[in-house]
Amino acid sequence: MKAKFALGIVAGIVILQSGCTHIQSLPMPAEVQNQNKEGVALYFGDQPHAKVKTLIETKEVRVRVGRDPDSKEPMCNVALGKALEELRVYARTQHANAVVNVATRFQRRESSSPTEFTCGLSTAGATLAVRGDVVQLDTE
């Protein structure tokens, strides 16, 4: 009986660890570095931008994408693209023209770099959160 119990615990640990998430800092994809897309500019961390006319709110978008065996795109890049698109869509609905102080996060590890982003990667997929201040920049 004790041997079966111990074997069950070991099997459970192996199963849990096989799907472990690894936190990674990855290079920012070139297409993300296009700051002004679809009328909403993105500024990571302390990147320079026009004066903020109106702070609408700070918004966080969390995304998880499952592994797609047919995709050639790295899963973390797919997750980042999806999260940034959701953030831009939200900003447009709020009549904002930019999101500033953009940062990426997985669990407690965060990056506000314009050249790197943080993502959690497992055998099942990729997860991250993107947060930024949704604003109206002064266009004058």
Side-chain angles (χ1 to χ4, degrees), residues 2 4 16 22 36-37 49 52 56 59 63 77 88 90 96-97 104:
K2 286 184 182 179
K4 284 184 179 179
L16 285 174
H22 301 282
N36 194 358
K37 184 176 176 184
H49 54 77
V52 173
I56 297 169
K59 176 73 173 169
V63 172
N77 290 10
R88 278 188 164 116
Y90 179 80
N97 62 5
T104 58

Side-chain angles (χ1 to χ4, degrees), residues 21-25 60 62 103-112 117-120 127-129 131:
T21 301
H22 301 282
I23 301 173
Q24 298 185 337
S25 289
E60 182 172 275
R62 295 181 192 105
T104 58
R105 178 181 64 78
F106 179 76
Q107 294 177 345
R108 290 178 192 83
R109 188 192 251 170
E110 184 172 289
S111 172
S112 59
F117 71 102
T118 301
C119 179
T127 305
L128 59 75
R131 185 189 73 249

Side-chain angles (χ1 to χ4, degrees), residues 22-136:
H22 301 282
I23 301 173
Q24 298 185 337
S25 289
L26 300 166
M28 192 69 71
E31 64 272 9
V32 170
Q33 294 176 1
N34 174 9
Q35 289 181 337
N36 194 358
K37 184 176 176 184
E38 299 174 27
V40 177
L42 298 177
Y43 298 93
F44 288 81
D46 59 0
Q47 281 184 306
H49 54 77
K51 181 180 173 188
V52 173
K53 184 164 62 171
T54 307
L55 170 63
I56 297 169
E57 73 174 290
T58 299
K59 176 73 173 169
E60 182 172 275
V61 174
R62 295 181 192 105
V63 172
R64 182 181 191 299
V65 296
R67 182 172 296 279
D68 180 358
D70 297 328
S71 176
K72 302 277 190 243
E73 182 80 18
M75 287 188 307
C76 282
N77 290 10
V78 172
L80 178 64
K82 186 174 179 181
L84 292 175
E85 179 56 27
E86 286 184 30
L87 190 59
R88 278 188 164 116
V89 167
Y90 179 80
R92 278 194 304 273
T93 64
Q94 301 302 308
H95 307 290
N97 62 5
V99 182
V100 300
N101 303 320
V102 176
T104 58
R105 178 181 64 78
F106 179 76
Q107 294 177 345
R108 290 178 192 83
R109 188 192 251 170
E110 184 172 289
S111 172
S112 59
S113 168
T115 60
E116 291 185 336
F117 71 102
T118 301
C119 179
L121 185 63
S122 72
T123 57
T127 305
L128 59 75
V130 175
R131 185 189 73 249
D133 297 329
V134 178
V135 299
Q136 271 288 338

